[in-house]
């Protein structure tokens, strides 16, 4: 047997191309297979050894997903025949344009690193469309166009202004919010970190801050948590006994409750996410009982009723679209309906674990009423021993007010001058004695 030494060998890809290829896989995983961007990253970037390349692949995929509708408008303006939505040429053009118009990559570098991804396809078409748009000195609009199904749905729920506010909110990276273990040191930490505070126990920094290198990280003085996400735990106030933190990972609310003096039992089905929760507890020197359990399993229940229960339920996560633009492409009607059904099951089950006179806080990071307001109405119809305990204005950041029903709905546009908030729904319920 002889070796064919004349057989051509595959040449290594040019620098920058592997990261773009991983970004292409990521975009495909989200748009075609409905995967979450973070969950798809390991598989899509498995061939990338450098952390910088993984970060680039993630950033490029996120930029395309954030601006898909705007990028498609530009592409369609420069083609005689519309490219199929799932055509590789369209996705590659999206990537080239996003690099130039959103990430500041020079045009020659953007096109040269994506053309190899066409793999023998219509390179001339891609190069020609890209060149036409670059010569036309096109720009992306200041406000992002949301995917049509999302804008249609939210317009029906919340009106045109919220859709416009959402487009403004996703156009820029969101700020970095820190929750403090000791709220009495709010002014001190705001000064030391050169940030601003919108509530006691909160400091806001500009986007892009390197978290592990910030002062106070190693000593556990704070943890990263969007201000809106801190509000559900705040509704329980200072510790007055035992609290169940359900669906607890990655642990921001667990740490809030522990810092507020509660005896916390943190429950979550994901052991890997609970490991991260335990690491955060160790870093902040806070304590909680950590339990790995699936709340849907009828064989599991807590030992006795609790003084308070916090259920931050699994949801479509459409409220965190600023940080995770992939949710706008994945959260279709079927997923929202499935999440709503799960929330109903968990809410009714967790209500059984609240002692008479105790408190139940229900929250979701969703902008869909079926995952918020409608869940509460259904529970109250079946559990007349529960009633809404209205949230006071003094419990919320200035500029956020409770609805007339007593619950809180945070929408795009709120606190926009200070950097905005993630979308959230929360309600505080009291079980009658």
């Amino acid at each position: 047997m002889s070796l064919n030494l004349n057989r051509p060998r595959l040449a290594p890809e040019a620098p920058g191309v592997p990261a773009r290829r991983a970004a292409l896989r990521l975009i495909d995983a989200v748009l075609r297979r409905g995967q979450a961007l973070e969950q798809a990253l390991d598989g899509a970037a498995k061939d990338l050894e450098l952390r910088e390349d993984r970060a680039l692949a993630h950033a490029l995929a996120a930029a395309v997903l954030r601006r898909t509708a705007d990028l498609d408008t530009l592409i369609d303006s420069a083609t005689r025949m519309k490219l199929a939505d799932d055509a590789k040429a369209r996705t590659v053009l999206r990537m080239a344009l996003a690099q130039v118009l959103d990430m500041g990559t020079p045009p020659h570098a953007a096109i040269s690193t994506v053309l190899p991804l066409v793999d023998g396809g219509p390179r001339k078409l891609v190069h020609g469309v890209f060149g036409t748009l670059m010569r036309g000195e096109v720009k992306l609009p200041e406000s992002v166009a949301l995917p049509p199904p999302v804008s249609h749905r939210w317009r029906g729920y919340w009106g045109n202004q919220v859709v416009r506010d959402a487009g403004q909110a996703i156009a820029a990276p969101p700020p970095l919010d820190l929750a403090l273990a000791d709220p009495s040191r709010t002014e001190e930490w705001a000064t030391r970190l050169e940030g601003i505070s919108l509530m006691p126990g909160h400091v806001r920094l500009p986007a892009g801050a390197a978290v592990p290198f910030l002062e106070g990280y190693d000593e556990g003085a704070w943890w990263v948590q969007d201000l809106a996400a801190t509000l559900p735990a705040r509704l329980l106030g200072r510790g007055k006994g035992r609290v169940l933190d359900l669906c607890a990972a990655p642990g921001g609310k667990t740490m809030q409750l522990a810092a507020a003096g509660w005896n916390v039992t943190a429950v979550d089905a994901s052991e890997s996410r609970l490991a991260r929760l335990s690491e955060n507890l160790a870093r902040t020197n806070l304590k909680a009982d950590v339990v790995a359990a699936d709340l849907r399993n009828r064989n599991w229940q807590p030992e006795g009723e609790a003084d308070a229960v916090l259920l931050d339920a699994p949801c479509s996560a459409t409220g965190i679209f600023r940080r995770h633009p992939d949710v706008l492409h994945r959260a279709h009607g079927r997923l929202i309906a499935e999440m709503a059904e799960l929330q109903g099951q968990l809410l009714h089950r967790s209500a059984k674990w609240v002692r008479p006179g105790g408190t139940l806080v229900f929250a979701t990071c969703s902008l869909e009423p079926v995952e918020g307001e409608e869940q509460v109405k259904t529970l109250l119809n079946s559990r007349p021993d529960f009633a809404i305990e209205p949230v006071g204005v003094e419990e919320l950041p200035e500029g956020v007010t409770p609805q007339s029903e007593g619950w809180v709905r945070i929408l795009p546009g709120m606190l926009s001058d200070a950097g905005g908030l993630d979308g959230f729904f929360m309600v505080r319920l009291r079980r009658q004695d």
Side-chain angles (χ1 to χ4, degrees):
M1 180 178 179
S2 61
L3 296 176
N4 181 5
L5 300 180
N6 295 320
R7 184 178 60 189
R9 290 182 295 178
L10 294 176
E13 292 186 309
V17 175
R20 272 73 173 185
R21 191 176 296 281
L24 181 66
R25 295 193 194 105
L26 274 174
I27 296 166
D28 180 71
V30 172
L31 296 183
R32 193 168 61 85
R33 300 199 297 275
Q35 291 182 254
L37 187 61
E38 305 298 333
Q39 294 174 348
L41 180 59
D42 285 343
K46 61 183 179 182
D47 298 329
L48 301 180
E49 297 180 358
L50 297 179
R51 181 181 302 176
E52 294 81 0
D53 286 342
R54 288 173 60 92
L56 174 58
H58 182 279
L60 177 52
V64 169
L65 295 169
R66 184 179 297 111
R67 287 284 194 170
T68 300
D70 294 321
L71 296 169
D72 284 347
T73 297
L74 293 177
I75 293 168
D76 292 341
S77 72
T79 55
R80 294 180 181 178
M81 297 181 62
K82 183 180 178 181
L83 295 170
D85 290 342
D86 60 350
K88 183 178 288 188
R90 178 180 287 278
T91 304
V92 167
L93 278 166
R94 290 168 177 163
M95 292 170 59
L97 293 171
Q99 289 181 83
V100 175
L101 304 178
D102 193 60
M103 302 174 70
T105 305
H108 69 274
I111 190 64
S112 66
T113 51
V114 300
L115 276 180
L117 308 182
V118 183
D119 295 333
R123 286 195 178 201
K124 288 186 178 180
L125 171 65
V126 171
H127 200 284
V129 171
F130 180 79
T132 297
L133 294 172
M134 291 298 98
R135 289 190 295 273
E137 299 183 353
V138 295
K139 296 180 180 180
L140 290 171
E142 293 185 4
S143 181
V144 173
L146 305 180
V150 177
S151 60
H152 176 76
R153 193 171 67 242
W154 288 357
R155 187 174 291 110
Y157 296 150
W158 313 116
N160 290 328
Q161 186 58 51
V162 166
V163 173
R164 288 192 289 267
D165 289 339
Q168 292 284 352
I170 197 175
L176 178 69
D177 283 341
L178 307 179
L180 304 181
D182 184 355
S184 68
R185 301 177 66 187
T186 300
E187 292 187 11
E188 173 194 343
W189 279 111
T191 300
R192 290 170 67 174
L193 296 172
E194 300 182 350
I196 62 171
S197 176
L198 301 177
M199 284 190 80
H202 164 266
V203 173
R204 172 163 286 184
L205 304 178
V211 173
F213 302 103
L214 291 175
E215 187 179 0
Y217 176 83
D218 290 334
E219 66 186 83
W222 48 260
W223 54 88
V224 176
Q225 190 177 15
D226 187 85
L227 177 57
T230 70
L231 299 179
R234 291 173 183 265
L235 299 187
L236 290 176
R238 297 294 302 174
K240 297 178 181 179
R242 177 168 168 258
V243 60
L244 296 175
D245 182 12
L246 305 180
C247 307
K253 298 175 182 67
T254 301
M255 291 183 284
Q256 280 184 272
L257 295 169
W262 288 92
N263 180 3
V264 188
T265 299
V267 185
D268 199 278
S270 172
E271 294 191 10
S272 60
R273 284 165 57 85
L274 283 177
R276 180 180 170 192
L277 185 154
S278 296
E279 291 172 0
N280 285 327
L281 286 172
R283 182 176 65 84
T284 54
N285 294 311
L286 295 169
K287 297 187 182 300
D289 293 328
V290 178
V291 177
D294 189 336
L295 299 177
R296 296 170 296 182
N297 186 345
R298 295 289 176 176
N299 294 325
W300 184 89
Q301 62 181 9
E303 297 180 2
E305 295 175 331
D307 298 289
V309 172
L310 171 55
L311 174 62
D312 184 6
C315 67
S316 64
T318 51
I320 58 174
F321 66 92
R322 298 185 305 163
R323 306 175 196 278
H324 302 279
D326 54 299
V327 302
L328 298 182
H329 301 278
R330 298 188 297 105
H332 45 70
R334 185 176 65 183
L335 175 65
I336 294 170
E338 290 174 353
M339 289 292 99
E341 182 178 359
L342 174 59
Q343 292 152 20
Q345 296 171 2
L346 298 182
L347 182 56
H348 282 77
R349 189 155 195 241
S350 59
K352 300 176 182 178
W353 301 332
V354 181
R355 68 163 178 80
T359 306
L360 169 63
V361 170
F362 169 70
T364 59
C365 57
S366 168
L367 287 169
E368 318 302 323
V370 71
E371 297 184 274
E373 291 86 346
E374 293 184 24
Q375 293 291 341
V376 178
K377 294 175 183 177
T378 300
L379 177 72
L380 295 178
N381 285 336
S382 64
R383 290 295 302 263
D385 56 330
F386 278 88
I388 294 175
E389 184 175 305
V391 177
V393 175
E394 70 282 357
E395 299 178 82
L396 302 171
E398 185 176 356
V400 178
T401 57
Q403 273 60 54
S404 58
E405 296 87 350
W407 56 54
V408 179
R409 166 56 74 183
I410 298 179
L411 295 170
M414 293 182 176
L415 270 65
S416 58
D417 291 342
L421 294 169
D422 284 348
F424 249 89
F425 172 85
M426 64 200 73
V427 64
R428 180 171 56 203
L429 303 162
R430 179 79 64 183
R431 185 178 180 185
Q432 307 305 305
D433 288 326

